[in-house]
Amino acid sequence: MKQHIEKITQLLLGAAYADKRLAGAEITRIRSLLSTLLGGAEVPEELLRMINTFSPAAFNVQQVASALDDLSTEDKRKLLELVASVNDADEELDLAEDIYLRTLAAALGLDEEKYSDLTLEILAGEELHGLLA
């Protein structure tokens, strides 16, 4: 996945901005994830510049994801785990972040059973009956 580090950085930044609020914890998490992906190395200056200049309005998740067609199913799943980690960094569950993860998964061509454990589960009215009893 190292060869796709710039695309992965963009996708992680897209996750951070999915709820229209950028938290410092999300940026910290992105930097940590990038360092880990790079084998513990310092995050290169060009990636730091990308983090600082990222424009969510100009970002297209489908376009970036399409450049990752050559990733294995396992690597695509790992990428979704990284996105979920960024989503969790601000300790808030948000539908916009969940939609972003699902949109990315679809753009990567993953079937829902490959990532459903990373998404929010919406309960129907009948499933809520007796839940607090």
Side-chain angles (χ1 to χ4, degrees):
M1 287 189 11
K2 267 187 192 179
Q3 70 271 23
H4 298 292
I5 197 71
E6 290 179 1
K7 300 290 183 204
I8 291 169
T9 301
Q10 291 173 15
L11 292 168
L12 296 178
L13 287 164
Y17 282 96
D19 61 0
K20 309 290 188 245
R21 294 181 310 272
L22 179 65
E26 292 168 324
I27 294 299
T28 300
R29 178 72 50 89
I30 289 170
R31 290 178 67 148
S32 174
L33 292 171
L34 292 174
S35 176
T36 300
L37 287 172
L38 295 168
E42 289 283 322
V43 178
E45 193 61 40
E46 62 268 15
L47 294 181
L48 294 175
R49 195 170 19 264
M50 185 182 296
I51 290 169
N52 292 327
T53 62
F54 182 77
S55 171
F59 176 68
N60 183 313
V61 64
Q62 288 90 356
Q63 182 180 11
V64 175
S66 70
L68 301 175
D69 281 342
D70 63 330
L71 288 181
S72 68
T73 300
E74 294 78 21
D75 282 345
K76 290 176 181 180
R77 162 65 193 208
K78 179 65 176 171
L79 177 56
L80 292 180
E81 290 172 0
L82 298 175
V83 166
S85 177
V86 172
N87 289 347
D88 292 342
D90 63 2
E91 299 180 0
E92 291 182 25
L93 298 175
D94 191 288
L95 276 177
E97 292 171 336
D98 186 66
I99 291 168
Y100 177 83
L101 189 137
R102 291 173 187 269
T103 301
L104 174 57
L108 291 170
L110 288 177
D111 295 326
E112 189 172 357
E113 71 266 1
K114 300 279 189 202
Y115 65 89
S116 62
D117 60 311
L118 301 174
T119 61
L120 297 176
E121 181 180 355
I122 308 298
L123 299 176
E126 62 272 3
E127 294 173 305
L128 294 174
H129 183 69
L131 186 65
L132 298 177

